[in-house]
Every structure is written in structure tokens, then in C-alpha cells.
């Protein structure tokens, strides 16, 4: 065997840490599928998993722009709104449109698309809006860009509630009766669910989208995005077209935010513009910061932790608790948010770079391997 052949074999050899990470991710999908079959579908666990999957995709899309490209944007809720409305408008069954658009003569659109094409189109429509908005806005930097994108999100929310667009958006009324995650469950002839897939499907959709983002980050485009983040002047000197790559990052991030908006519509079973407030963007930004700016793995992990804490684990703090005849003080409606805010402050103070920093899942096993090898060398000496 020649030296060149040996080198090619070494290049093609898969890193063990990547295999371990892939095995863990596959195991998570298997566990989610099994739990969905054996646990009651009304369990709070599945609510957290579904919403966590939605927020994970949106957080990764925001991290692509804020963490990997260095563009501070706060327009995520606006692009989610566009994606959610696009999905809802295109997938409501024709027979149900009269009930949904009861104040607007059945609405303007009189056809229904399949779920997956509608989700892709939701992302594309959000990307088109990003292209139009990005032309003037991406010339701004730092706080000015954040303010401009935040203003865009608020304007979009107001426009979608405008009565003049009621035949398309249903005005200030909600869109409903479109396919949700529950429609992916497999039923028998009697209409009974035999295989539950309503939690696994959002995991699959998020997994595919996040995998696409990871592949993008490892491509020449991803390296160009990170070069712009690190030093725009040096990146431009290396031949990177700043305006073009910023526009690409903005549109790609908005595409996945639009898909995330469609997923949120499927999770909520309804869409209403007033739900997509700036507070939603701040939640996503908080998830990105807690997970680690510049870490896809961190964004995914912190999404589930954030949703679990806010929607499940700390719920008891909003209710009065009795120990015998003694009432536990301070436990009242709204106290959960106080404790949650304190936890977030502690995380931000003691984990300045977030849970993962800039590391990914394979990096954890790579460090352990190096440490074990160093230990073996020391023992041999």
C-alpha cells in the first residue's frame, strides 16, 4: 500500500467523538418515540418536548445570525409570525375556511397545501421578507441594527392585524383548524391512535433543520460568516463580500425562523398576531445566551431547559402550598417568574459564556479522550 493510499484512509476515518455524539442523538430520538407510546399523551413532558423542539430551531437560527455572523438582530418574532401565518393560510382545509374567515366571506385563498411543502414555503416567504428588509437595514451595526429589526417585527405584527388584509390574514382574529402535530399520529379504521408521532415529528423537523445549519457552518460560507464576526476588516481584506454574506446569513436565519413559526402554529393549534410580541424575541435571545453564543448544541440544550423550567418544573411556585396547617410564605401567582429570573441571573453571572460556550457535543468527548490519553502516558512513564 502506497503512502498516498494510507493518507487517504486516515483522512476518511471518522472521528470517534462524532460517532459518540451521533449515537447519543439517535438514542434521544428512540427514547422520545418509546416514551410517546407508553406514557399518556396528556403528560406535561410531551408539551415541554414539543415546545422545546420549536424553540431549539428558532434559537439555532438566531445563533446563526447573532453568534456565528456577529449581527445583532431582534426581528425573530416577526419572521416567526410570517412563517406561522403563511403555514396557517395555506393549510386550512377548504371546507373549514368559511368557519375560520367568517367575517371575510371565506377568505381569499381557496385551496389547501400539504404540510411539508407549506412549511418550506413558510420559510421561503420569511426569507423573502428578510431579503427586502435586509437591503437597507444590514448597513447598520450593533444596537442600531437591533433597533431596526425590532421595529420591523412590531410593524409586521400590526400590519397582519389590519382589517384591510382580513381576507388573507383574518385581521385580528385567529387562524385555526389547520393541521397540527397530532395529525401525524397513525390511526386505525375506528379512528383510534395506534402509533403516536406527535412529539417525534417536531424532533425530526428540528433535527433536519439543525443538521442543515451545522453543515452550512462547516462549509466555506460558514467560515466566511465567522470571519465576518471576528473581524470585518480582515474578512474583507481576504476577499469576502461583506454585504453579500451578511444578506445570506440574514435570509438563511429568517428561513429557519419562518419554519419555526410554522412549527409553533402546529404546536399551538392557532395563530394570532398579538402572540408574537417582542417578549418572544427576548426569550429566544435569552436561550441563546444561556446556551452559549456560538454553540448550536448549547442553543438546543438551553431551549429544553428554559421551556421545562418556565412551563413545568416551577409551576408549583404559583400556587399556595400547605405543610400541615402551616402555609408556605411567598408562594403566590407570579412568584414563579421571580424565581425563574433569579436562576437566569445566577446562570449569567457564573457561566459568562453560557452552558456550552463555543463548544459542541463532540467536543465534550474529544476532551475526555485527550485527558485519558494523557493519563495513560503519565502512567507509562
Amino acid at each position: 500500500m502506497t503512502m498516498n493510499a494510507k493518507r487517504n484512509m486516515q483522512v476518511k476515518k471518522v472521528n470517534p467523538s462524532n460517532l459518540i455524539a451521533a449515537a447519543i442523538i439517535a438514542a434521544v430520538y428512540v427514547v422520545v418515540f418509546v416514551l410517546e407510546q407508553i406514557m399518556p399523551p396528556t403528560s406535561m413532558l410531551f408539551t415541554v418536548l414539543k415546545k422545546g423542539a420549536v424553540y431549539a430551531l428558532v434559537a439555532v437560527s438566531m445563533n446563526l445570525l447573532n453568534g456565528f455572523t456577529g449581527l445583532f438582530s431582534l426581528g425573530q418574532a416577526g419572521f416567526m409570525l410570517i412563517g406561522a401565518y403563511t403555514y396557517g393560510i395555506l393549510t386550512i382545509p377548504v371546507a373549514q375556511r368559511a368557519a375560520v374567515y367568517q367575517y371575510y366571506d371565506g377568505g381569499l385563498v381557496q385551496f389547501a397545501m400539504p404540510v411539508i411543502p407549506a412549511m418550506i414555503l413558510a420559510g421561503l416567504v420569511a426569507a423573502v421578507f428578510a431579503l427586502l428588509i435586509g437591503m437597507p437595514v444590514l448597513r447598520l451595526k450593533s444596537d442600531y441594527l437591533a433597533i431596526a429589526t425590532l421595529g420591523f417585527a412590531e410593524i409586521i405584527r400590526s400590519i397582519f392585524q389590519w382589517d384591510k388584509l382580513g381576507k388573507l390574514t383574518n385581521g385580528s382574529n385567529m387562524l385555526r383548524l389547520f393541521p397540527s402535530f397530532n395529525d401525524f399520529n397513525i390511526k386505525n379504521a375506528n379512528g383510534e391512535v395506534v402509533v403516536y408521532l406527535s412529539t417525534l415529528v417536531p424532533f425530526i423537523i428540528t433535527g433536519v433543520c439543525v443538521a442543515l445549519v451545522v453543515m452550512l457552518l462547516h462549509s466555506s460560507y460558514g467560515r466566511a460568516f465567522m470571519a465576518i464576526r471576528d473581524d470585518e476588516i480582515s474578512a474583507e481584506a481576504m476577499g469576502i463580500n461583506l454585504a453579500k454574506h451578511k444578506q445570506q446569513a440574514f435570509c438563511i436565519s429568517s428561513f429557519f425562523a419562518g419554519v419555526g413559526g410554522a412549527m409553533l402554529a402546529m404546536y399551538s393549534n392557532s395563530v394570532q398576531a398579538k402572540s408574537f410580541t417582542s417578549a418572544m424575541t427576548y426569550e429566544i435571545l435569552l436561550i441563546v445566551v444561556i446556551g452559549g453564543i456560538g454553540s448550536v448544541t448549547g442553543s438546543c440544550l438551553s431551549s429544553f431547559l428554559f421551556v421545562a423550567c418556565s412551563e413545568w418544573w416551577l409551576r408549583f411556585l404559583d400556587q399556595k402550598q400547605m405543610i400541615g396547617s402551616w402555609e408556605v410564605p411567598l408562594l403566590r401567582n407570579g412568584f414563579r417568574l421571580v424565581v425563574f429570573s433569579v436562576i437566569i441571573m445566577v446562570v449569567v453571572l457564573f457561566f459568562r459564556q453560557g452552558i456550552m460556550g463555543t463548544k459542541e457535543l463532540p467536543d465534550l468527548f474529544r476532551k475526555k479522550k485527550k485527558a485519558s490519553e494523557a493519563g495513560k502516558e503519565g502512567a507509562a512513564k
Side-chain angles (χ1 to χ4, degrees):
M1 186 180 291
T2 63
M3 290 297 295
N4 290 333
K6 289 182 179 179
R7 288 174 183 171
N8 291 333
M9 289 181 65
Q10 290 176 354
V11 170
K12 292 180 181 179
K13 187 178 178 180
V14 180
N15 195 314
S17 59
N18 292 337
L19 290 177
I20 296 173
I24 291 174
I25 294 171
V28 169
Y29 277 82
V30 172
V31 169
V32 169
F33 175 76
V34 173
L35 288 177
E36 197 170 11
Q37 310 313 312
I38 63 177
M39 292 181 64
T42 56
S43 173
M44 193 64 187
L45 173 64
F46 299 127
T47 301
V48 171
L49 291 177
K50 291 174 188 176
K51 189 173 182 180
V54 175
Y55 271 37
L57 175 57
V58 181
V60 169
S61 72
M62 190 177 206
N63 209 347
L64 172 64
L65 195 62
N66 291 22
F68 290 99
T69 314
L71 299 177
F72 188 28
S73 170
L74 293 177
Q76 221 68 7
F79 296 116
M80 290 175 68
L81 182 150
I82 293 169
Y85 265 86
T86 302
Y87 172 80
I89 291 168
L90 295 177
T91 56
I92 297 173
V94 176
Q96 305 290 344
R97 288 186 178 272
V100 176
Y101 290 89
Q102 56 182 334
Y103 301 111
Y104 298 99
D105 301 325
L108 183 64
V109 178
Q110 292 299 321
F111 62 87
M113 289 182 63
V115 171
I116 299 302
M119 293 184 71
I120 295 173
L121 197 55
L124 291 174
V125 173
V128 169
F129 271 84
L131 179 64
L132 298 175
I133 297 298
M135 290 178 182
V137 165
L138 290 178
R139 297 179 181 181
L140 303 173
K141 293 183 180 181
S142 188
D143 298 343
Y144 299 102
L145 176 60
I147 293 170
T149 51
L150 182 62
F152 154 75
E154 293 298 317
I155 292 170
I156 285 292
R157 184 160 60 91
S158 300
I159 290 176
F160 271 66
Q161 297 180 87
W162 189 25
D163 285 339
K164 298 293 184 181
L165 295 177
K167 282 186 172 292
L168 185 64
T169 65
N170 207 23
S172 58
N173 306 300
M174 68 173 59
L175 295 176
R176 53 192 177 87
L177 302 180
F178 45 75
S180 66
F181 291 136
N182 291 329
D183 292 309
F184 287 95
N185 293 331
I186 300 175
K187 301 179 181 179
N188 58 20
N190 298 324
E192 299 174 345
V193 178
V194 292
V195 179
Y196 288 93
L197 298 174
S198 59
T199 306
L200 184 64
V201 166
F203 265 71
I204 293 174
I205 296 172
T206 297
V208 171
C209 293
V210 170
L212 292 174
V213 172
V214 171
M215 287 190 290
L216 172 68
L217 291 173
H218 285 84
S219 68
S220 58
Y221 287 98
R223 289 190 288 271
F225 294 159
M226 287 183 272
I228 293 172
R229 175 198 63 189
D230 295 335
D231 193 330
E232 289 191 7
I233 297 175
S234 299
E236 191 171 20
M238 293 169 60
I240 296 174
N241 189 324
L242 297 183
K244 177 184 174 182
H245 283 83
K246 285 182 179 180
Q247 188 74 67
Q248 287 176 344
F250 195 52
C251 291
I252 294 171
S253 172
S254 302
F255 171 85
F256 289 113
V259 175
M263 291 176 64
L264 186 61
M266 297 174 73
Y267 164 80
S268 303
N269 297 319
S270 63
V271 178
Q272 198 165 16
K274 67 179 183 180
S275 302
F276 295 85
T277 60
S278 56
M280 182 178 290
T281 298
Y282 300 146
E283 285 183 352
I284 304 300
L285 179 61
L286 185 61
I287 289 171
V288 172
V289 173
I290 292 174
I293 298 178
S295 173
V296 173
T297 305
S299 294
C300 293
L301 289 176
S302 60
S303 297
F304 291 101
L305 290 174
F306 178 88
V307 174
C309 288
S310 60
E311 301 287 340
W312 187 14
W313 294 339
L314 301 180
R315 279 288 180 183
F316 73 95
L317 296 174
D318 281 346
Q319 302 172 355
K320 292 183 180 180
Q321 301 290 334
M322 302 293 295
I323 300 177
S325 59
W326 180 68
E327 180 180 334
V328 180
L330 300 178
L331 298 187
R332 296 290 188 275
N333 186 29
F335 187 65
R336 169 177 58 93
L337 297 178
V338 176
V339 175
F340 188 55
S341 300
V342 172
I343 293 173
I344 291 170
M345 289 173 62
V346 170
V347 172
V348 172
L349 286 174
F350 292 96
F351 295 90
R352 296 290 180 90
Q353 294 184 337
I355 296 172
M356 294 293 292
T358 58
K359 298 174 184 173
E360 301 295 348
L361 186 58
D363 296 332
L364 301 179
F365 305 104
R366 203 168 289 130
K367 284 185 69 176
K368 289 182 180 180
K369 181 183 177 184
K370 290 180 179 179
S372 62
E373 288 177 352
K376 289 179 181 179
E377 290 178 1
K381 290 179 180 179

